[in-house]
């Protein structure tokens, strides 16, 4: 027959034999011994055994973690114009994380420095003393002539000698994380958009004639010419007429393809006019920090 068990208020079963239960001293010490060794568990029910191995609570499932969804920002609205009449044609929406970013002067500065260093050719080359062809014999005695000390004919002190610490071909390019550079791109576009200086044009920008004077009059009439700071026109494949016309109006604006434009160009011009397909391509190209999500450990 099974022996009864002694229960403690904070512990589980304490199985003991009938002989132990008969000793009053052990009955007083049993709850004290069981308090430090037992663990919290539920009391045995009618269907559970009350003796033998102590019961353990089933492993509790971890509570579900509710992730806080980031607040959604409304998309920004842009107007698409037709060039050169500059008449509004339609509207387009863009995400706020592409055209509505806060101004970060530090990131823009690093991007401009990165582009400037990459544009340096680094082809300056001079002949040092060891590169000049000539004899290594000392030209005159060290003392007794009353003139300055002089070495061989390759000395930088005489004509035809080497250059002292002159430049050699080297690479001036610096490193910048791609995600930071992409953020600088979208920050520059957002800066132009917030100031009302980002004009989105229809695809296929072209004019009727290739005359620079006619194009300058159009830009002055639309307040996008020299008197208003000039404009930068970005197109995917500029037409022949507009390309020829832009060559004679350097003060009114510049024409660049989407592959040649950089962050400095977006900040230098007074206004940025860009085709919609070029804007979509640039935003898609410079979104590396938005397309990839860091895997969660939860």
């Amino acid at each position: 027959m099974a022996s009864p068990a002694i229960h403690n208020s904070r512990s589980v079963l304490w199985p003991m034999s009938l002989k132990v239960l008969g000793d009053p001293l052990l009955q007083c010490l049993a709850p004290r011994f069981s308090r430090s060794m037992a663990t919290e568990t539920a009391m045995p029910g009618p269907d559970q055994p009350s003796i033998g191995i102590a019961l353990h609570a089933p492993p509790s499932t971890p509570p579900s973690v509710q992730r806080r969804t980031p607040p959604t920002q409304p998309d920004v609205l842009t107007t698409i114009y037709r060039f050169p009449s500059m008449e509004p044609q339609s509207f387009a929406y863009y995400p706020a994380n592409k055209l509505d970013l806060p101004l970060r002067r530090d990131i823009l500065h690093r991007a401009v420095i990165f582009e400037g260093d990459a544009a340096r050719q680094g082809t300056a080359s001079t002949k040092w003393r060891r590169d000049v062809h000539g004899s290594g014999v000392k030209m005159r005695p060290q003392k007794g002539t009353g003139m300055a000390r002089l070495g061989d004919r390759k000395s930088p002190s005489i004509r035809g000698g080497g250059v002292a610490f002159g430049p050699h071909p080297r690479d001036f390019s610096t490193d910048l994380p791609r995600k930071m550079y992409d953020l600088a791109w979208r920050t520059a576009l957002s800066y132009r958009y917030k100031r009302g200086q980002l004009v989105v044009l229809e695809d296929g920008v072209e004019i009727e004639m290739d005359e620079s004077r006619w194009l300058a009059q159009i830009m002055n009439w639309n307040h996008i010419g020299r008197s208003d700071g000039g404009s930068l026109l970005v197109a995917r494949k500029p037409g022949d007429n507009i390309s020829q016309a832009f060559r004679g109006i350097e003060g009114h604006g510049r024409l660049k393809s989407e592959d040649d434009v950089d962050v400095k160009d977006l900040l230098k011009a007074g206004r940025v006019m860009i085709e919609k397909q070029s804007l979509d391509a640039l935003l898609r190209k410079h979104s590396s920090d938005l397309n990839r999500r860091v895997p969660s450990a939860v």
Side-chain angles (χ1 to χ4, degrees):
M1 181 175 180
S3 60
I6 301 176
H7 298 281
N8 187 17
S9 60
R10 297 179 58 85
S11 62
V12 294
L13 305 177
W14 185 274
M16 302 184 67
S17 61
L18 296 176
K19 183 177 179 181
V20 174
L21 293 174
D23 194 346
L25 178 59
L26 295 179
Q27 291 180 2
C28 299
L29 296 178
R32 185 175 303 174
F33 293 154
S34 63
R35 182 179 298 274
S36 61
M37 299 175 61
T39 57
E40 292 285 347
T41 185
M43 298 300 294
D47 299 335
Q48 298 178 353
S50 58
I51 59 176
I53 303 175
L55 298 179
H56 297 280
S60 59
T61 59
S64 59
V65 179
Q66 297 182 357
R67 299 179 180 178
R68 180 185 301 177
T69 58
T72 58
Q73 298 180 359
D75 296 340
V76 296
L77 178 65
T78 59
T79 306
I80 301 177
Y81 297 89
R82 175 179 295 175
F83 188 84
S85 62
M86 302 305 295
E87 297 178 356
Q89 299 298 319
S90 60
F91 300 96
Y93 288 91
Y94 288 92
N97 56 3
K98 294 184 178 181
L99 286 183
D100 196 16
L101 294 176
L103 179 61
R104 291 288 303 274
R105 297 179 182 272
D106 54 338
I107 295 181
L108 294 177
H109 177 265
R110 295 192 59 178
V112 172
I113 295 299
F114 167 73
E115 294 173 349
D117 293 341
R120 299 185 65 176
Q121 296 181 357
T123 56
S125 179
T126 56
K127 291 186 177 181
W128 286 18
R129 187 167 185 167
R130 64 173 179 267
D131 301 328
V132 177
H133 178 72
S135 174
V137 179
K138 190 174 179 62
M139 297 186 62
R140 56 174 176 257
Q142 181 77 1
K143 296 179 179 296
T145 60
M147 292 184 290
R149 295 169 291 184
L150 184 63
D152 53 13
R153 293 184 177 273
K154 297 179 293 182
S155 174
S157 302
I158 62 175
R159 183 178 180 180
V163 179
F165 309 108
H168 275 180
R170 57 171 177 162
D171 184 14
F172 287 94
S173 61
T174 56
D175 295 333
L176 185 69
R178 179 184 176 184
K179 294 184 178 181
M180 184 177 297
Y181 184 64
D182 292 347
L183 180 59
W185 256 92
R186 302 197 312 275
T187 303
L189 291 174
S190 301
Y191 171 75
R192 289 302 187 184
Y193 174 80
K194 291 182 177 181
R195 294 174 61 92
Q197 299 172 349
L198 181 65
V199 182
V200 184
L201 306 177
E202 286 184 337
D203 300 339
V205 175
E206 182 60 315
I207 56 179
E208 299 177 359
M209 298 180 294
D210 58 352
E211 296 183 3
S212 302
R213 182 182 303 178
W214 184 67
L215 181 58
Q217 294 177 358
I218 292 177
M219 300 186 72
N220 289 331
W221 176 262
N222 293 318
H223 302 284
I224 56 177
R226 179 184 305 173
S227 59
D228 296 280
S231 301
L232 171 67
L233 179 58
V234 182
R236 173 164 295 182
K237 293 181 179 180
D240 298 335
N241 294 340
I242 194 172
S243 300
Q244 181 66 25
F246 260 99
R247 296 177 182 177
I249 55 171
E250 297 180 357
H252 292 275
R254 294 181 299 167
L255 176 63
K256 284 197 171 186
S257 63
E258 63 181 47
D259 298 331
D260 298 335
V261 68
D262 51 16
V263 178
K264 184 179 180 180
D265 296 330
L266 299 178
L267 301 175
K268 186 177 181 180
R271 186 176 290 97
V272 177
M273 300 186 301
I274 183 172
E275 291 182 349
K276 186 180 183 301
Q277 59 180 355
S278 300
L279 179 61
D280 297 340
L282 291 176
L283 291 177
R284 183 170 53 253
K285 178 181 178 181
H286 299 285
S287 299
S288 61
D289 56 331
L290 301 178
N291 299 335
R292 300 178 182 177
R293 292 188 57 186
V294 179
S296 176
V298 180

